[in-house]
Amino acid sequence: MKTILNTPIALKLSACIGLSEHELEILGQLLKQSREIRVGQDLVQQGETNQAAFILMSGWVCSYKIQADGTRQIVDFQIPGDFLGVRSVLFHTSDHNIEPITEVEVCEILIPRLLDTFAQHPRLAMALLWALSRDEAMVVEHLVNIGRRNPAERMAHFLLELGARLSLIGAGSKTGFTCPLTQPLLADALGLSAVHVNRVLRQLREVGMATFRDGQVVFDNYDRLVAFADFDSSYLDQAGPLLT
Amino acid sequence: MKTILNTPIALKLSACIGLSEHELEILGQLLKQSREIRVGQDLVQQGETNQAAFILMSGWVCSYKIQADGTRQIVDFQIPGDFLGVRSVLFHTSDHNIEPITEVEVCEILIPRLLDTFAQHPRLAMALLWALSRDEAMVVEHLVNIGRRNPAERMAHFLLELGARLSLIGAGSKTGFTCPLTQPLLADALGLSAVHVNRVLRQLREVGMATFRDGQVVFDNYDRLVAFADFDSSYLDQAGPLLT
DNA sequence: CGATTGCTTGAATCTATTCAAGCACTGTGG
DNA sequence: CCACAGTGCTTGAATAGATTCAAGCAATCG
């Protein structure tokens, strides 16, 4: 039996909700043995049925939708501790693709036992609902980002959100974080061309707000970046209310 | 006691899930007496706590986020039969505003009795989860729309989605629908300027695909519009799988 | 070692925004 | 009852901004 204490998912839920060790152990029992996925080997494909849900244990993946003309929109990047493919399970069929960015380790969630567990541990059910609501809040924020912020603000907001998420699982700080994303990936996430992503990154670097180079994001001036991007992290780390 | 048979919410759920009349009656018992809201009187404000959730019985509203510089992004329009403010309840505090576009009638959902009901009628719980997943799928599609489609395709896709949603509740068809949205509202939803919305609408009209005039959307050539917008409605009317 | 991918930069083009102005309609207060 | 302000729709002209095209460089991988 695996323990999930001291894993990213435990860190995340503890930071936001404060589940007991016992409850975390129960959650751990819903996880099948972990599986490794290599780059180039997709987890979920658009249109697939009978899909499983996962928790990401290590590595980064991205969820995206692809269009007829070949362009794609990355909906979100998932980092350790995040759920994968929950909507695909509810919908029975996946409306998006999930692709690993780095080597990845996932645990499959045992759906059949989920409902029983929820009956016995309602706080866990609420924790799941809270986590899903948080995911939706991130998509909404992403929408605002693309719809109403200019490219530089958009990039700044994106880097800050990622930094805040990584901080919760101990993989980032107000100084910066290690980041495996490429400029083409950023372009597909932010609705820009890869060339323009490059220019925007240079811009942020030249004004001394943030530097992204060699797989490292450095916040050169965190407070100024927050002000510039109009960033408010409360949707990321706010405790759920029905859990008090 | 109100009945919710023959209301938009019943039409929507019946089209997609097939709840029994009995189950719909149970759902109806979760609804407090309906309330009317005038234009200019907001339902939910960003940052408010202890918010309630509603079902929209008649009229249109929009959910939006507002930024420091005054620009806003409309996340979605809600039409009769849609849920309002569910995420605000789960998060205890609202991260967005909800504003009526027309005169509106809402029913408040009695949250305390919700959990009991779910224990006795698990199909209803799944129906709610399905509806919430559908909402999230719409936000994701909206994201793709703004991120990776040009303004004309964006408008076309938006009108088609709205038409499909309205068809489910008997308020639209492949011919068109009545639509209370103004060009400034469309601009805030699609991430464009109001001026450009006007030009894009003219463009769609001139090539004979769709006409939006005097509060009426007319699909002049439905099939061509669908091809142009790369529109696939399966995320809107697909039956949930766990409900078979 | 050739092929692929990502990063970087410049120049030309295209596209959406902004600014400006006129028109129609609605509701308000003198 | 009418003048006026506010809002939405429409169009043209100027501007700002992102994309596309093109090219060179570095690193990685078969």
Side-chain angles (χ1 to χ4, degrees), chain A residues 65-69 71-76 86-93 95-96 111 115 126 129-130 132-137 139-144 146-149 153 184 187-193 229-230 234-236 238-242, chain B residues 65-69 71-76 86-93 95-96 111 115 126 129-130 132-137 139-144 146-149 153 184 187-193 229-230 234-236 238-242:
Chain A
K65 293 196 81 156
I66 198 148
Q67 286 190 273
D69 65 3
T71 59
R72 69 172 185 171
Q73 174 66 47
I74 292 178
V75 175
D76 204 3
V86 174
R87 200 170 70 250
S88 302
V89 169
L90 281 171
F91 255 63
H92 200 219
T93 169
D95 62 342
H96 58 273
I111 300 289
L115 294 177
M126 291 315 296
L129 264 182
W130 173 84
L132 293 180
S133 291
R134 180 182 186 262
D135 288 346
E136 196 187 333
V139 176
V140 167
E141 200 58 47
H142 195 172
L143 182 68
V144 175
I146 289 188
R148 281 292 179 228
R149 282 193 261 261
E153 293 168 350
D188 282 341
L190 299 178
L192 300 170
S193 68
D230 192 20
S234 63
Y235 66 99
L236 290 174
Q238 199 170 55
L242 301 175
Chain B
K65 293 197 83 156
I66 199 148
Q67 287 187 269
D69 65 1
T71 60
R72 67 171 184 172
Q73 174 67 46
I74 292 179
V75 175
D76 204 1
V86 174
R87 200 169 70 249
S88 303
V89 169
L90 281 172
F91 254 65
H92 201 218
T93 169
D95 62 342
H96 58 274
I111 301 287
L115 294 177
M126 292 314 299
L129 263 183
W130 173 84
L132 293 180
S133 293
R134 179 181 184 264
D135 288 346
E136 196 187 333
V139 176
V140 167
E141 198 60 47
H142 195 171
L143 182 67
V144 175
I146 289 187
R148 281 293 181 225
R149 281 193 261 262
E153 293 167 350
D188 282 341
L190 299 178
L192 299 170
S193 68
D230 192 21
S234 63
Y235 66 100
L236 291 174
Q238 200 170 54
L242 301 176

Side-chain angles (χ1 to χ4, degrees), chain A residues 117-130:
Chain A
T117 307
F118 285 174
Q120 286 163 25
H121 302 273
R123 280 171 57 89
L124 279 178
M126 291 315 296
L128 175 65
L129 264 182
W130 173 84

